[in-house]
Amino acid sequence: MSTDKKTIKFEIVTPERTVMKEEILQITVPTQSGEITVLPDHIPLVSILKPGVLELKKADGEVEVISVSGGFIEVLKNKIVILADSAERAVELDEAEIEAAGPRPKR
């Protein structure tokens, strides 16, 4: 990995499991106050997540989508922890589950 891009340690956990734990470049999350994007060196914060989609850019530049039903986000110095009620990585879902969940809201 090149040293010109700073990364953030990221972890998302539910009561059942650790959904993901890796280095990322940024993440966009739906909070009660609106959608926020967290980049390296973001100020510390704690916020309530509303149900929706997390969009994160991994260290290799790949974008990953994770659906959450709500929870909390804690941002520390270059570390993000999300405690979610439930969370599913898009890569883990099958097409039938996605269709059953209904249409994704337009941005």
Side-chain angles (χ1 to χ4, degrees):
M1 188 173 95
S2 65
T3 56
D4 60 342
K5 289 188 180 178
K6 290 185 89 171
T7 59
I8 310 163
K9 289 181 173 63
F10 171 73
E11 185 173 4
I12 179 169
V13 295
T14 67
E16 291 82 35
R17 67 188 179 119
T18 297
V19 177
M20 176 187 251
K21 185 175 186 176
E22 70 179 79
E23 299 278 325
I24 64 169
L25 298 172
Q26 70 179 56
I27 185 165
T28 301
V29 298
T31 72
Q32 294 286 343
S33 311
E35 194 173 82
I36 63 167
T37 298
V38 179
L39 300 167
D41 299 322
H42 194 285
I43 62 167
L45 87 101
V46 174
S47 186
I48 298 172
L49 295 180
K50 65 180 190 178
V53 175
L54 311 178
E55 200 169 281
L56 54 103
K57 187 182 285 188
K58 300 197 297 191
D60 62 5
E62 181 184 338
V63 173
E64 178 147 353
V65 174
I66 301 174
S67 172
V68 294
S69 62
F72 296 89
I73 180 171
E74 181 179 26
V75 179
L76 303 167
K77 181 159 177 58
N78 291 322
K79 180 177 181 183
I80 299 169
V81 178
I82 292 181
L83 304 172
D85 300 327
S86 68
E88 294 294 332
R89 293 173 70 175
V91 295
E92 296 173 343
L93 297 175
D94 66 26
E95 201 61 39
E97 290 175 3
I98 294 169
E99 291 296 321
R104 185 171 176 202
K106 290 186 173 43
R107 290 183 178 224

